[in-house]
Amino acid sequence: MKCGEIKHLFKLIKDNNPLVHHITNQVTINDCANVTLAIGASPVMADYTREVEEIVSKADALLLNLGTFNEERYQSMKVAGKKANQLGIPIVFDPVGVGASSFRKNKALELLKEIDICIIRGNYAEVSSLVGLGGKAKGVDSVNLEESSNDVIKIAKLVATAFDSIVVISGEIDVVTNGQRACIVENGDEWLSKISGTGCASGSLIASFSAVTNDYYLAAVAGISTMGVCGERAKKALEKADGLGTYRVKLMDQLSSMDGDTWGREVRIYEVEYG
Amino acid sequence: MKCGEIKHLFKLIKDNNPLVHHITNQVTINDCANVTLAIGASPVMADYTREVEEIVSKADALLLNLGTFNEERYQSMKVAGKKANQLGIPIVFDPVGVGASSFRKNKALELLKEIDICIIRGNYAEVSSLVGLGGKAKGVDSVNLEESSNDVIKIAKLVATAFDSIVVISGEIDVVTNGQRACIVENGDEWLSKISGTGCASGSLIASFSAVTNDYYLAAVAGISTMGVCGERAKKALEKADGLGTYRVKLMDQLSSMDGDTWGREVRIYEVEYG
Amino acid sequence: MKCGEIKHLFKLIKDNNPLVHHITNQVTINDCANVTLAIGASPVMADYTREVEEIVSKADALLLNLGTFNEERYQSMKVAGKKANQLGIPIVFDPVGVGASSFRKNKALELLKEIDICIIRGNYAEVSSLVGLGGKAKGVDSVNLEESSNDVIKIAKLVATAFDSIVVISGEIDVVTNGQRACIVENGDEWLSKISGTGCASGSLIASFSAVTNDYYLAAVAGISTMGVCGERAKKALEKADGLGTYRVKLMDQLSSMDGDTWGREVRIYEVEYG
């Protein structure tokens, strides 16, 4: 893993302050905006069909998140996505709850067909849903994997190949693959799955990194591992009486003070040989 | 009051991790998601008409909240509500700001006619509005009751009988009734009314409890009193310079560490004889 | 500057608890509600076309914020705005990201033509966009001014005259003008621009003050400087390891405990002679 290069990306984000256009859900939209700011990028959250083309044209990355999805937002994603493709702006796709309804699943597959996605990020149930395999889905927050990591890697590679995209599956461990090579990120904390929005905000981090490098595999690893590292550091910063409220605050504290050196010291990434 | 049974419900939620489908407003949707997670349940917030039927089918409870209401969300509530009724999934109804516009009031009454609601939760103004009595309404946060608790109980029983539902009126004290028996929950803190979303999040708590018991009276008491107990504990945890920002964080801390034993020690519930 | 009068407004808000109707964006809607509560006013956030007329009729101020804008919200703003004008209810206008799309800009100008706005609040890029001058716009959070304060004052006066309105331009320093007189507010902190929603919430503060005085110039100064003073105080309250998460919490603490005396001791306002 090119950890030295990733370390440099933190500085690149802060120096270039890239604009990350989000078309995202109403539940965690504020978390996504704040996490994008915390890492040093600039969020813009417009989702109206008649303005997304103009707005994405000024952006450095586009994030499409399927939470609280509907027909109108689908149209906006299609329009913005096609424009982003035209202009070479990287697109991160977060198929939140895609197994929860056939509407969502059909539209997700249409988007994947009509636009080129650089990076897909989801939990095991969501990502496996995209290739018609039913990972156990319950709501949108089921990140506990009973599946062995080998199975997760296999599914990730399958999806990466099917859609010619980097795939990130987040869970107790996170898997990143481009279809050939794969790696595992061990960082993380159980409490990340107990507060709303950490999955969506990982997407914002990945999109922020994808805005400052053409190596989208690195961007995916950088984004997902930053959430894991910060999730661990936030837990360590808690005192005994603290619960999920304080944890969420400390997580933002960590995200806003994260840099390449701290990341480099604390990240635990392993390349995977499994083929 | 069957406090022993309620104490057991906390553990049931954590063990069963029930899925609570919210069709709710844009202001406090994130608070509702986080409070649902904090108590140990799983939130899903879909509100698009074409997918709510499928999504509610997998849920253990349905919460309908009228904040930032519109025609589309009304349709989604009707569709989801009918499906929930068919499948025996309990529905909690929170008529936020129902006195604020005739559109909202008419649609609320239509929903109450077309679907069977297990539990109605609102402040005095909202609940009395449902039977054409004008409680003093100002915005959606007017929980200070000048009315005597006897009047509040009378209105609550009237509404419970009119809609064949459990009714919770929250305020300085909270009243719960099924039309015959009633009780008063004394727990709470003035500051709960000074932060946005504690009312809506009480609805999420009630819905989470209704997902693990068929005794909806108990579920209503459990949910509303949990918010009261945690509101008191959060206030005690403050230091002198702390204000509403820290209070909101401490409230989430308390909600996420609440259990049956703590609740049992601190709750103050009185059965009411008044007929 | 009539600082004595402004000091009195804090108490007036707490005593009268004015209702501030927001038609605003989905990103920061919760922050706006909480800041309105923190200062002692009451928020109502309805944006559905069929109910805004009725709701604004009960309000003491109306805030129109262009974030996550669309055709439907434009219609609601027009309807609510006309009604507010009829009833003499003051309107605060926050043209968030108005330079980001031609749709947003055209609709903003239509609103400014069709309804009488008391106070316009935005950053330099947004406000200068309203008179066809392209301030450097990047997303919605670009508040760093390279422009000299004289240029900012000149643009502010131009916009104030063009739309017969008080104009607030927020940034490293804030400028308030009615087209003739102008003043500069020096309070503030760099971190205010690193968390989402402080600009929008300044609008909520200004609207809350405009609900308790007819002197909208004073209301604008009071609202924008309150955010600046609290932003400074929140920074001073931080400990070494704290980041943006804690800062956001401390900001709410400060807003909820702010009063006229504290404001009077810490505000730094200068009248401007420049004509």
Side-chain angles (χ1 to χ4, degrees):
Chain A
M1 182 57 48
K2 303 168 184 171
C3 282
E5 276 186 42
I6 292 182
K7 282 168 68 173
H8 183 56
L9 297 180
F10 288 88
K11 190 171 150 31
L12 270 184
I13 292 179
K14 283 184 177 61
D15 288 350
N16 293 307
N17 190 228
L19 188 63
V20 181
H21 181 188
H22 289 65
I23 302 181
T24 190
N25 69 76
Q26 293 163 14
V27 187
T28 64
I29 190 168
N30 185 276
D31 295 317
C32 288
N34 275 305
V35 166
T36 305
L37 285 165
I39 203 68
S42 228
V44 58
M45 321 305 273
D47 66 355
Y48 184 47
T49 313
R50 285 168 63 188
E51 61 174 17
V52 290
E53 211 174 11
E54 216 173 329
I55 286 173
V56 79
S57 300
K58 299 168 190 160
D60 301 296
L62 173 65
L63 176 64
L64 307 177
N65 175 306
L66 294 198
T68 62
F69 198 48
N70 59 29
E71 177 66 30
E72 202 182 317
R73 210 166 286 139
Y74 163 72
Q75 292 297 339
S76 296
M77 289 184 185
K78 202 168 68 175
V79 169
K82 281 178 184 294
K83 190 69 184 179
N85 277 171
Q86 233 176 67
L87 299 171
I89 296 164
I91 305 177
V92 177
F93 184 64
D94 190 340
V96 173
V98 71
S101 84
S102 48
F103 170 78
R104 212 176 285 200
K105 187 167 169 187
N106 293 337
K107 293 299 185 185
L109 294 177
E110 282 182 40
L111 285 171
L112 283 164
K113 200 154 85 184
E114 299 198 53
I115 57 185
D116 291 330
I117 302 290
C118 285
I119 305 171
I120 297 171
R121 187 218 74 87
N123 60 35
Y124 180 73
E126 289 158 353
V127 172
S128 57
S129 244
L130 296 176
V131 286
L133 298 171
K136 190 185 59 170
K138 188 175 180 188
V140 295
D141 294 310
S142 58
V143 293
N144 292 311
L145 300 177
E146 283 158 23
E147 294 74 19
S148 76
S149 63
N150 276 357
D151 281 352
V152 176
I153 295 167
K154 206 184 289 179
I155 292 285
K157 286 191 170 180
L158 195 65
V159 175
T161 306
F163 301 108
D164 193 18
S165 166
I166 310 291
V167 166
V168 180
I169 294 185
S170 39
E172 281 178 26
I173 54 144
D174 307 312
V175 168
V176 182
T177 182
N178 62 1
Q180 277 95 46
R181 46 198 296 232
C183 69
I184 285 178
V185 179
E186 278 198 349
N187 303 83
D189 185 89
E190 192 202 346
W191 280 22
L192 284 174
S193 68
K194 294 190 177 177
I195 54 178
S196 174
T198 57
C200 300
S202 296
S204 298
L205 291 174
I206 293 170
S208 298
F209 281 102
S210 77
V212 293
T213 175
N214 291 323
D215 188 336
Y216 300 128
Y217 186 78
L218 276 197
V221 171
I224 198 69
S225 62
T226 295
M227 183 57 83
V229 168
C230 291
E232 287 176 357
R233 290 173 63 86
K235 190 64 154 300
K236 282 179 204 145
L238 292 185
E239 289 171 32
K240 208 183 161 208
D242 293 338
L244 292 177
T246 302
Y247 182 66
R248 194 182 178 196
V249 173
K250 298 281 187 194
L251 180 63
M252 283 300 304
D253 281 354
Q254 291 300 331
L255 284 164
S256 69
S257 56
M258 184 53 41
D259 56 33
D261 287 340
T262 309
W263 178 87
R265 273 195 307 275
E266 306 203 0
V267 74
R268 299 190 302 286
I269 307 181
Y270 304 100
E271 305 264 2
V272 174
E273 292 305 317
Y274 176 89
Chain B
M1 183 57 48
K2 302 167 183 171
C3 283
E5 277 186 42
I6 291 181
K7 283 168 66 173
H8 183 57
L9 297 181
F10 287 89
K11 190 171 150 31
L12 270 184
I13 292 179
K14 283 183 177 63
D15 288 350
N16 294 308
N17 189 229
L19 188 62
V20 181
H21 181 188
H22 289 65
I23 301 181
T24 189
N25 69 75
Q26 294 163 13
V27 187
T28 64
I29 191 168
N30 185 276
D31 295 318
C32 288
N34 274 304
V35 166
T36 304
L37 284 166
I39 203 69
S42 227
V44 58
M45 320 306 272
D47 66 354
Y48 184 48
T49 314
R50 284 167 65 187
E51 61 174 17
V52 290
E53 210 173 12
E54 216 174 328
I55 286 174
V56 78
S57 300
K58 300 168 188 161
D60 301 296
L62 173 64
L63 176 64
L64 307 177
N65 175 306
L66 294 198
T68 60
F69 200 47
N70 58 31
E71 178 66 30
E72 201 182 317
R73 210 167 284 139
Y74 163 73
Q75 292 297 339
S76 295
M77 289 185 185
K78 201 167 70 173
V79 169
K82 281 178 184 296
K83 190 69 184 179
N85 278 171
Q86 235 176 66
L87 300 171
I89 296 163
I91 304 177
V92 176
F93 185 63
D94 191 339
V96 173
V98 71
S101 84
S102 49
F103 170 79
R104 214 177 284 202
K105 187 167 170 186
N106 292 338
K107 292 299 184 184
L109 294 176
E110 281 181 41
L111 285 171
L112 283 164
K113 200 154 86 183
E114 298 198 53
I115 56 184
D116 292 329
I117 302 290
C118 285
I119 305 170
I120 297 170
R121 187 219 75 87
N123 60 34
Y124 180 73
E126 290 158 353
V127 171
S128 58
S129 244
L130 295 176
V131 286
L133 298 171
K136 188 185 58 170
K138 187 174 180 191
V140 296
D141 294 309
S142 59
V143 293
N144 293 312
L145 299 177
E146 284 160 23
E147 295 74 18
S148 77
S149 62
N150 277 356
D151 281 352
V152 176
I153 295 166
K154 206 183 289 178
I155 293 284
K157 285 190 169 179
L158 195 65
V159 175
T161 306
F163 301 108
D164 192 18
S165 167
I166 311 291
V167 166
V168 180
I169 295 185
S170 39
E172 281 178 26
I173 54 146
D174 308 311
V175 168
V176 182
T177 182
N178 62 1
Q180 278 96 46
R181 48 197 295 233
C183 69
I184 285 177
V185 179
E186 278 197 349
N187 303 83
D189 185 90
E190 193 203 347
W191 279 22
L192 285 174
S193 68
K194 294 190 176 178
I195 53 177
S196 174
T198 57
C200 300
S202 296
S204 298
L205 291 173
I206 293 170
S208 298
F209 281 101
S210 77
V212 294
T213 175
N214 291 322
D215 188 335
Y216 301 128
Y217 185 78
L218 277 198
V221 171
I224 197 70
S225 62
T226 295
M227 184 57 82
V229 167
C230 291
E232 287 176 356
R233 290 172 63 86
K235 191 64 154 300
K236 281 178 204 144
L238 292 186
E239 289 169 34
K240 210 183 161 210
D242 294 338
L244 293 177
T246 302
Y247 182 66
R248 194 182 178 196
V249 174
K250 298 280 188 195
L251 180 63
M252 282 301 304
D253 280 354
Q254 291 299 330
L255 285 163
S256 69
S257 56
M258 184 54 40
D259 56 33
D261 287 340
T262 309
W263 177 87
R265 273 195 308 274
E266 306 203 1
V267 74
R268 300 189 303 283
I269 306 180
Y270 304 100
E271 306 264 1
V272 174
E273 292 304 318
Y274 177 88
Chain C
M1 184 58 47
K2 302 168 183 173
C3 283
E5 276 186 43
I6 291 182
K7 283 167 66 173
H8 184 57
L9 297 181
F10 287 88
K11 190 172 151 30
L12 271 185
I13 292 179
K14 283 185 176 62
D15 288 349
N16 293 308
N17 190 227
L19 188 62
V20 181
H21 181 188
H22 289 64
I23 302 181
T24 189
N25 69 76
Q26 293 163 14
V27 187
T28 64
I29 190 168
N30 184 275
D31 295 317
C32 288
N34 275 304
V35 166
T36 304
L37 285 165
I39 202 70
S42 228
V44 59
M45 320 304 274
D47 66 355
Y48 184 47
T49 314
R50 285 167 64 187
E51 62 174 17
V52 290
E53 210 173 12
E54 216 174 330
I55 285 173
V56 78
S57 300
K58 300 168 190 162
D60 301 296
L62 173 63
L63 176 65
L64 307 178
N65 175 306
L66 294 198
T68 61
F69 199 48
N70 58 30
E71 178 65 31
E72 200 182 318
R73 210 166 287 138
Y74 163 72
Q75 291 298 338
S76 295
M77 289 185 186
K78 201 167 70 173
V79 169
K82 282 178 183 296
K83 191 69 183 179
N85 278 170
Q86 233 177 67
L87 299 171
I89 296 164
I91 304 178
V92 176
F93 184 64
D94 190 339
V96 173
V98 71
S101 84
S102 49
F103 170 79
R104 213 177 285 201
K105 186 167 171 187
N106 293 337
K107 292 300 185 184
L109 294 176
E110 281 181 41
L111 286 171
L112 283 164
K113 198 153 87 182
E114 298 198 54
I115 56 184
D116 292 329
I117 302 290
C118 285
I119 305 171
I120 297 170
R121 187 218 75 87
N123 61 34
Y124 180 73
E126 290 158 353
V127 172
S128 58
S129 243
L130 296 176
V131 286
L133 297 172
K136 189 185 59 170
K138 188 176 180 189
V140 297
D141 294 309
S142 58
V143 293
N144 293 313
L145 298 176
E146 283 159 24
E147 294 73 20
S148 77
S149 63
N150 276 357
D151 281 351
V152 176
I153 296 166
K154 206 184 288 179
I155 292 284
K157 285 191 171 179
L158 194 66
V159 174
T161 305
F163 301 108
D164 192 19
S165 168
I166 311 290
V167 166
V168 180
I169 295 185
S170 39
E172 281 177 24
I173 56 145
D174 307 311
V175 167
V176 182
T177 182
N178 62 359
Q180 278 96 47
R181 48 197 292 233
C183 69
I184 286 177
V185 179
E186 278 197 349
N187 303 84
D189 185 89
E190 192 203 347
W191 279 22
L192 285 174
S193 68
K194 294 190 177 178
I195 54 178
S196 173
T198 56
C200 300
S202 297
S204 298
L205 291 173
I206 293 170
S208 298
F209 281 101
S210 78
V212 294
T213 175
N214 291 323
D215 188 336
Y216 301 128
Y217 185 78
L218 276 197
V221 171
I224 198 69
S225 62
T226 295
M227 184 56 83
V229 168
C230 291
E232 286 175 358
R233 290 172 62 86
K235 191 66 153 299
K236 281 179 204 144
L238 293 185
E239 289 170 34
K240 207 182 162 212
D242 293 338
L244 292 177
T246 302
Y247 183 66
R248 193 181 177 195
V249 173
K250 298 281 188 195
L251 180 64
M252 283 299 305
D253 280 355
Q254 291 299 331
L255 285 163
S256 69
S257 57
M258 184 54 38
D259 57 32
D261 287 340
T262 309
W263 177 87
R265 273 195 308 274
E266 306 203 2
V267 74
R268 299 189 304 283
I269 307 180
Y270 304 99
E271 306 265 0
V272 174
E273 292 304 317
Y274 177 88

